[in-house]
C-alpha cells in the first residue's frame, strides 16, 4: 500500500520518512523535491536533478520557465501521494522507479495524473545521492520537452434583453475597431486619421507610446459601428491605418430606449472593489436594465489549458466550460417605447405606459436621450462632454424622477375624499368667483381657478373644468390625517414596489401637512406632492380595474399581484371615468378627441416655483387611456411647457402617439 502525503501550497514542509536517508532512500529525496515544489522553490527543485537533466538547461532557465508556467495556470492546492519504501522498484543498484499520484487546482479546474519518477544514484560533492531524472511531465501530464503550455479563454456570451414580444433590446454583436499599425503610419497619415476620428495627433501618439506597443502591432484608437461604411472607406485609404472586428453590446432601439437599457462598459477600479467575480478588463452593466439585472446577465468565460505539440494534436489537460449569462425578458413593448419617444421630438420630458389589469409597465421613456451604442463602443471624451454640457440634459433619466402632478392629481384627491366619506360626487359645491380662501388666516393667499361656474359644481363638472377650488375644498374637508392615509393607500409616501429604481412619490417634504394651505394645494396637485409618471399611470389604473391598483411589473415572468385594493367603488370609478372622458370631449384636452377612439384623461399644468406666491416654470402633463380599449394608461409630461400652452403640448404629443399607435396596431 502507498502512504498518502498531502502537500498544500499553504502548508508547511512534510517530515521525511522515518528510518530512511542517504542512498538507501530515493523516496526521501523525492519527498524533499515535492516539498520544495509545494514551497514554490524552483531553485531548490533544480538541486534534486541528475547531471544529465541539468546539462539540458541552466538553473535560471528552469526557474524562470517553469515557475512562470505554473504561475500562469494558477496552480494551487498541490497534493502528491508519495510511495513508501515497499513501493520503490529497483531496476538495479543505480536506478529506482517510484510511482506518484499528483493533483492540483488550476485556472481551468483540477488536474490529476500519475507519474513514474525515475531516480539515479550519482556521485556528488556530498557523496552518493539519489537524484531525479527529471522531465516536464513531472509538472503536467503529456508535457514533453519542446512542447508549449497554452491557456485559452473560452468566451461566454452575456445574457440578452428582450421585450414582451421577443424584440431585442440588448444583444451581442460586433463593431469595427479603427487603429494604426505601429511603425507603418507617418505624420501626414496621423493628421489625416485624427481629422476623420475627431482626435488630435497627440491623442494618436499617446496611444502609440504605450509600453506594450511594438512595430507591427495593431493599436486601437476608436470603435465605430460596422454600418458606418463611409467612415470606414475613408479610414481604409489612410496609409498605416487598420481595422479589426470587435465584440460589443448592441442596442437595436438606440436612443429610444437608451435610459431604459443603459449600457455596458469596462469595469472601473472602484467597481472591481465592490463586485466579486470580475477581473480588470471585464464588461459590466453601467446603467439601466444592464446594471439592474447584472447578476443574471453576467457571463462567465471558460478557460482551457492545453499542451501544444509540434507534430501532434494538442492535448487538453484541464477545461472549465464557459457559462453564458441568463436572458432577461421584460414587460416593455419596444415598439410602443420607440413610438412614444419619437413623439417627444427631443422635448425635455418623460412618458410611461402601464397595463391596468396586470401592472405590466409597457414603456419608460426619457427625452432627450443618448445612444447607448456609443457608450458600449467606447464614447470619445469630446462626445461625452458635448452630451454632458447639453442644456436639455440628455444624460438625465427623467422616467425615474418624481414631478409635481398638477391637476392630474385631482381624480386621486376625489377618490381619497369619497373613500373617507367626505365628498358626495353628486352634490354640488357653490363656488363664486375665480379665487377662494378658507378664511382670513390665509392672509393674501388664495386658491385660483381658471373659469367661473354657472351653478353648483359636482365631481364630474369639477374634473372637466379642472376646478382648483373644488379639489382644495375636498382636501380640506377630508382633513390632514384623512388625506395622508388616503394618499398612502394610493402609494404616496410609501415604498414603490417596482423593480426599476424610480424615486418614490411623496405627500410633502416632511410626509405630513403642516398647514391648511399646503393641504389645500395638495388637493389640486400643487403643494409639495411629487410622483413619477409610472406611479401616476399605475394609480389611474385603479379607475379601470374596479378600484384595484396592481403591483407594477418589469419582468415578464413575474405573476401579476394586487398592490392596493378598494381604492374606489365601481360606482365612484364610473363617475371619475365619465369626467375624464368629458375632459377630452369638452374640456382642456379636446385636441385628443380622435375619431374611432374614446380617449379619456386629465391634463395638468404644474408650476415649479421656489415658494408660494411666486411664479416659476411650468410642466405640462396628460394622463390618458382609450376607453374603447383601455389596455394601458399613458402618463406623459413635457418640461418647461409654458410657451407651448402648458398641458397643450402634452396633449398634442399624446394625440399623435395614439394615432400612430392605432395605425401600427392594425
Amino acid at each position: 500500500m502507498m502512504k498518502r502525503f498531502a502537500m498544500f501550497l499553504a502548508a508547511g514542509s512534510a517530515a521525511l520518512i522515518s528510518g530512511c536517508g542517504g542512498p538507501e532512500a530515493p523516496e526521501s529525496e523525492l519527498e524533499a523535491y515535492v516539498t520544495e515544489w509545494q514551497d514554490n522553490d524552483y531553485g531548490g527543485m533544480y538541486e534534486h536533478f541528475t547531471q544529465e537533466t541539468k546539462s539540458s538547461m541552466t538553473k535560471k532557465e528552469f526557474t524562470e520557465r517553469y515557475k512562470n508556467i505554473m504561475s500562469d495556470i494558477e496552480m494551487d492546492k498541490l497534493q502528491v501521494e508519495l510511495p513508501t519504501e515497499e513501493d520503490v522498484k529497483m531496476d538495479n543498484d543505480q536506478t529506482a522507479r517510484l510511482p506518484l499520484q499528483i493533483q492540483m487546482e488550476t485556472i481551468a479546474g483540477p488536474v490529476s495524473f500519475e507519474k513514474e519518477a525515475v531516480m539515479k544514484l550519482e556521485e556528488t560533492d556530498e557523496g552518493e545521492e539519489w537524484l531525479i531524472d527529471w522531465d516536464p511531465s513531472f509538472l503536467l501530464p503529456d508535457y514533453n520537452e519542446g512542447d508549449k503550455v497554452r491557456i485559452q479563454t473560452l468566451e461566454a456570451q452575456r445574457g440578452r434583453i428582450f421585450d414582451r414580444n421577443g424584440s431585442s433590446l440588448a444583444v451581442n454583436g460586433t463593431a469595427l475597431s479603427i487603429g494604426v499599425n505601429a511603425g507603418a503610419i507617418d505624420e501626414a497619415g496621423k493628421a489625416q486619421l485624427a481629422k476623420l476620428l475627431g482626435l488630435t495627433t497627440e491623442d494618436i501618439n499617446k496611444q502609440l507610446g504605450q509600453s506594450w506597443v511594438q512595430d507591427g502591432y495593431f493599436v486601437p484608437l476608436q470603435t465605430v459601428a460596422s454600418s458606418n461604411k463611409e467612415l470606414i472607406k475613408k479610414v481604409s485609404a489612410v496609409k498605416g491605418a487598420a481595422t479589426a472586428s470587435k465584440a460589443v453590446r448592441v442596442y437595436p432601439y438606440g436612443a429610444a430606449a437608451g435610459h431604459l437599457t443603459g449600457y455596458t462598459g469596462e469595469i472601473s477600479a472602484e467597481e472591481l472593489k465592490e463586485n466579486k467575480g470580475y477581473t480588470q478588463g471585464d464588461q459590466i452593466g453601467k446603467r439601466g436594465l444592464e446594471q439592474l439585472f447584472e447578476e443574471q446577465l453576467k457571463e462567465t468565460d471558460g478557460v482551457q489549458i492545453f499542451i501544444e505539440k509540434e507534430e501532434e494534436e494538442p492535448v487538453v489537460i484541464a477545461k472549465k466550460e464557459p457559462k453564458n449569462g441568463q436572458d432577461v425578458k421584460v414587460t416593455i413593448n419596444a415598439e410602443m417605447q420607440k413610438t412614444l419617444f419619437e413623439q417627444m421630438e427631443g422635448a425635455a420630458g418623460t412618458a410611461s405606459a402601464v397595463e391596468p389589469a396586470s401592472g405590466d409597465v409597457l414603456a419608460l421613456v426619457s427625452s432627450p436621450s443618448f445612444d447607448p451604442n456609443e457608450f458600449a463602443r467606447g464614447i470619445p471624451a469630446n462626445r461625452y462632454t458635448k452630451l454632458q454640457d447639453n442644456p436639455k440634459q440628455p444624460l438625465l433619466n427623467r422616467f425615474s424622477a418624481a414631478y409635481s402632478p398638477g391637476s392630474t392629481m385631482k381624480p386621486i384627491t376625489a377618490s381619497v375624499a369619497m373613500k373617507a366619506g367626505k365628498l358626495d360626487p353628486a352634490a354640488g359645491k357653490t363656488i363664486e368667483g375665480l379665487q377662494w380662501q378658507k378664511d382670513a388666516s390665509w392672509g393674501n393667499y388664495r386658491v385660483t381657478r381658471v373659469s367661473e361656474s354657472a351653478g353648483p359644481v359636482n365631481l364630474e363638472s369639477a374634473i372637466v373644468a379642472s376646478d382648483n377650488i373644488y379639489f382644495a375644498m375636498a382636501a380640506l374637508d377630508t382633513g390632514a390625517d384623512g388625506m395622508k392615509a388616503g394618499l398612502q393607500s394610493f402609494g404616496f409616501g410609501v415604498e414603490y414596489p417596482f423593480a426599476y429604481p424610480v424615486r418614490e412619490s411623496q405627500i410633502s417634504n416632511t410626509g405630513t401637512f403642516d398647514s391648511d394651505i399646503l393641504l389645500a394645494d395638495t388637493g389640486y396637485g400643487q403643494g409639495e406632492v411629487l410622483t413619477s409618471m409610472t406611479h401616476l399611470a399605475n394609480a389611474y389604473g385603479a379607475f379601470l380595474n374596479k378600484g384595484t391598483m396592481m403591483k407594477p411589473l418589469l419582468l415578464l415572468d413575474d405573476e401579476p399581484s394586487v398592490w392596493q385594493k378598494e381604492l374606489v367603488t365601481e360606482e365612484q370609478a364610473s363617475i371619475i371615468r365619465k369626467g375624464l372622458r368629458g375632459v377630452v370631449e369638452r374640456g382642456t384636452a379636446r385636441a385628443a378627441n380622435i375619431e374611432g377612439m374614446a380617449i379619456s384623461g386629465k391634463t395638468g399644468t404644474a408650476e415649479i416655483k421656489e415658494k408660494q406666491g411666486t411664479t416659476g416654470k411650468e410642466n405640462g402633463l396628460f394622463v390618458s387611456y382609450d376607453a374603447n380599449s383601455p389596455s394601458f394608461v399613458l402618463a406623459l409630461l413635457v418640461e418647461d411647457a409654458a410657451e407651448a400652452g402648458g398641458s397643450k403640448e402634452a396633449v398634442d404629443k399624446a394625440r399623435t402617439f395614439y394615432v400612430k399607435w392605432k395605425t401600427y396596431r392594425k
Side-chain angles (χ1 to χ4, degrees):
M1 295 291 293
M2 296 178 70
K3 183 177 179 182
R4 177 178 295 274
F5 288 83
M7 299 291 179
F8 296 93
L9 288 176
S13 300
L16 296 179
I17 298 173
S18 176
C20 299
E24 286 88 22
E27 64 273 21
S28 298
E29 189 75 17
L30 186 60
E31 183 181 348
Y33 159 84
V34 169
T35 300
E36 279 152 353
W37 187 14
Q38 164 254 301
D39 286 337
N40 209 30
D41 182 3
Y42 287 82
M45 291 164 66
Y46 184 84
E47 297 305 325
H48 296 282
F49 296 165
T50 63
Q51 291 303 314
E52 184 179 356
T53 301
K54 288 180 178 179
S55 67
S56 65
M57 58 186 160
T58 65
K59 184 176 183 178
K60 181 180 180 182
E61 288 173 340
F62 171 81
T63 300
E64 289 182 354
R65 180 187 306 166
Y66 295 109
K67 187 174 184 178
N68 286 340
I69 288 173
M70 301 311 278
S71 174
D72 288 343
I73 69 171
E74 298 183 16
M75 182 197 75
D76 192 15
K77 298 180 181 178
L78 173 67
Q79 298 183 46
V80 179
E81 187 176 307
L82 289 163
T84 63
E85 184 177 358
E86 291 77 16
D87 297 313
V88 178
K89 297 177 182 178
M90 301 296 298
D91 288 356
N92 51 54
D93 292 344
Q94 305 295 316
T95 304
R97 297 179 183 275
L98 294 82
L100 295 174
Q101 292 276 355
I102 301 169
Q103 294 181 2
M104 66 182 74
E105 291 294 329
T106 72
I107 191 175
V111 173
S112 178
F113 62 102
E114 297 179 355
K115 174 66 182 175
E116 185 179 64
V118 177
M119 303 190 69
K120 295 180 179 179
L121 188 63
E122 292 188 357
E123 188 70 38
T124 69
D125 293 340
E126 305 297 327
E128 283 191 327
E129 291 185 32
W130 285 102
L131 299 176
I132 303 169
D133 191 11
W134 191 90
D135 65 73
S137 65
F138 272 81
L139 297 180
L140 293 170
D142 295 298
Y143 186 20
N144 299 313
E145 195 65 43
D147 293 346
K148 293 180 173 61
V149 178
R150 300 297 191 195
I151 302 171
Q152 180 184 17
T153 298
L154 305 174
E155 291 188 357
Q157 294 290 312
R158 185 174 177 84
R160 300 162 296 177
I161 304 174
F162 297 103
D163 84 336
R164 66 189 300 110
N165 299 314
S167 296
S168 301
L169 289 170
V171 292
N172 303 303
T174 58
L176 207 64
S177 180
I178 295 175
V180 296
N181 285 323
I185 190 167
D186 56 21
E187 293 304 313
K190 291 177 187 176
Q192 189 178 355
L193 189 58
K195 185 177 180 180
L196 288 171
L197 300 181
L199 303 174
T200 65
T201 54
E202 289 76 15
D203 293 330
I204 296 177
N205 286 330
K206 182 179 179 180
Q207 296 303 311
L208 286 169
Q210 295 176 91
S211 60
W212 60 270
V213 176
Q214 299 180 34
D215 282 355
Y217 278 26
F218 173 74
V219 180
L221 298 173
Q222 195 173 108
T223 304
V224 302
S226 301
S227 59
N228 197 341
K229 303 297 185 184
E230 184 177 351
L231 175 61
I232 295 169
K233 182 179 179 181
K234 290 178 180 178
V235 165
S236 300
V238 178
K239 185 179 179 182
T243 60
S245 183
K246 179 181 178 181
V248 295
R249 198 69 159 164
V250 176
Y251 304 96
Y253 284 86
H259 286 283
L260 172 64
T261 60
Y263 53 86
T264 59
E266 188 171 321
I267 193 167
S268 66
E270 185 177 346
E271 288 168 332
L272 269 174
K273 294 177 183 177
E274 297 173 352
N275 296 273
K276 295 181 179 180
Y278 294 81
T279 58
Q280 188 174 357
D282 283 350
Q283 296 285 302
I284 191 171
K286 297 285 187 177
R287 292 179 64 163
L289 299 176
E290 292 280 26
Q291 184 179 43
L292 183 64
F293 296 116
E294 173 64 24
E295 186 176 341
Q296 295 96 312
L297 295 167
K298 182 184 183 303
E299 76 281 19
T300 303
D301 286 341
V303 61
Q304 68 177 3
I305 302 170
F306 64 94
I307 307 296
E308 185 179 88
K309 299 178 177 290
E310 288 187 3
E311 296 182 359
E312 299 176 41
E313 290 295 315
V315 177
V316 176
I317 61 172
K319 184 177 183 180
K320 184 184 293 183
E321 295 290 346
K323 184 180 179 181
N324 292 334
Q326 299 174 32
D327 291 341
V328 170
K329 296 180 180 180
V330 291
T331 58
I332 298 297
N333 185 317
E335 288 303 319
M336 179 182 285
Q337 175 88 14
K338 179 184 176 184
T339 305
L340 264 175
F341 178 77
E342 290 171 349
Q343 304 331 302
M344 297 300 291
E345 297 180 310
T350 177
S352 291
V354 180
E355 188 174 83
S358 66
D360 284 0
V361 176
L362 305 178
L364 290 167
V365 171
S366 181
S367 174
S369 184
F370 60 88
D371 184 357
N373 293 292
E374 286 189 88
F375 286 83
R377 293 192 296 263
I379 190 167
N382 59 347
R383 171 61 180 156
Y384 181 79
T385 300
K386 187 177 180 180
L387 288 170
Q388 201 171 36
D389 294 344
N390 188 322
K392 284 192 174 183
Q393 297 180 279
L395 298 179
L396 175 65
N397 184 348
R398 289 171 165 87
F399 71 70
S400 66
Y403 294 84
S404 173
S407 293
T408 62
M409 188 69 179
K410 292 171 180 174
I412 297 173
T413 298
S415 299
V416 170
M418 287 189 290
K419 180 73 179 291
K422 301 298 183 181
L423 178 65
D424 181 348
K429 292 182 182 290
T430 301
I431 305 172
E432 297 179 355
L434 297 177
Q435 293 188 324
W436 174 85
Q437 62 178 191
K438 178 185 176 183
D439 53 41
S441 67
W442 284 15
N444 294 326
Y445 186 75
R446 289 172 171 77
V447 177
T448 301
R449 60 179 179 172
V450 176
S451 59
E452 294 189 44
S453 51
V457 182
N458 62 21
L459 178 54
E460 182 185 343
S461 63
I463 291 175
V464 173
S466 198
D467 194 318
N468 290 345
I469 297 175
Y470 180 94
F471 292 99
M473 289 177 171
L476 289 170
D477 290 342
T478 305
D481 291 342
M483 277 296 290
K484 178 179 178 180
L487 291 179
Q488 285 178 335
S489 71
F490 266 91
F492 289 79
V494 299
E495 182 181 355
Y496 189 52
F498 188 38
Y500 197 102
V502 301
R503 180 174 169 179
E504 292 174 358
S505 300
Q506 69 174 44
I507 294 170
S508 70
N509 295 340
T510 62
T512 60
F513 298 109
D514 54 17
S515 73
D516 281 346
I517 290 177
L518 180 59
L519 177 58
D521 282 349
T522 302
Y524 60 95
Q526 292 294 151
E528 296 169 355
V529 62
L530 298 174
T531 180
S532 67
M533 292 305 100
T534 305
H535 184 188
L536 193 55
N538 200 185
Y540 268 59
F543 308 137
L544 300 165
N545 198 36
K546 299 180 180 179
T548 296
M549 181 162 54
M550 302 297 287
K551 179 182 176 181
L553 298 180
L554 183 61
L555 285 171
L556 191 61
D557 292 337
D558 284 352
E559 289 294 327
S561 61
V562 172
W563 179 26
Q564 300 288 349
K565 60 183 179 179
E566 299 178 357
L567 297 171
V568 289
T569 66
E570 179 55 31
E571 182 182 357
Q572 292 165 346
S574 177
I575 295 169
I576 291 174
R577 292 196 299 268
K578 190 174 180 182
L580 296 177
R581 176 60 183 149
V583 170
V584 178
E585 287 182 314
R586 58 188 185 278
T588 53
R590 285 189 291 271
N593 204 12
I594 304 165
E595 185 178 352
M597 304 179 78
I599 303 301
S600 305
K602 185 70 191 78
T603 59
T605 301
E607 189 174 9
I608 313 302
K609 50 190 177 182
E610 294 295 324
K611 59 182 180 180
Q612 291 170 333
T614 65
T615 58
K617 291 183 177 180
E618 291 183 355
N619 293 336
L621 299 91
F622 186 41
V623 183
S624 59
Y625 57 88
D626 179 5
N628 287 345
S629 179
S631 56
F632 62 87
V633 177
L634 170 65
L636 189 150
L637 177 146
V638 180
E639 292 181 5
D640 197 13
E643 292 185 7
S647 61
K648 181 180 181 302
E649 187 171 5
V651 172
D652 289 342
K653 292 185 181 303
R655 174 194 166 84
T656 307
F657 162 75
Y658 279 114
V659 171
K660 292 195 174 183
W661 189 244
K662 181 181 178 182
T663 303
Y664 172 79
R665 296 293 289 175
K666 287 181 178 180

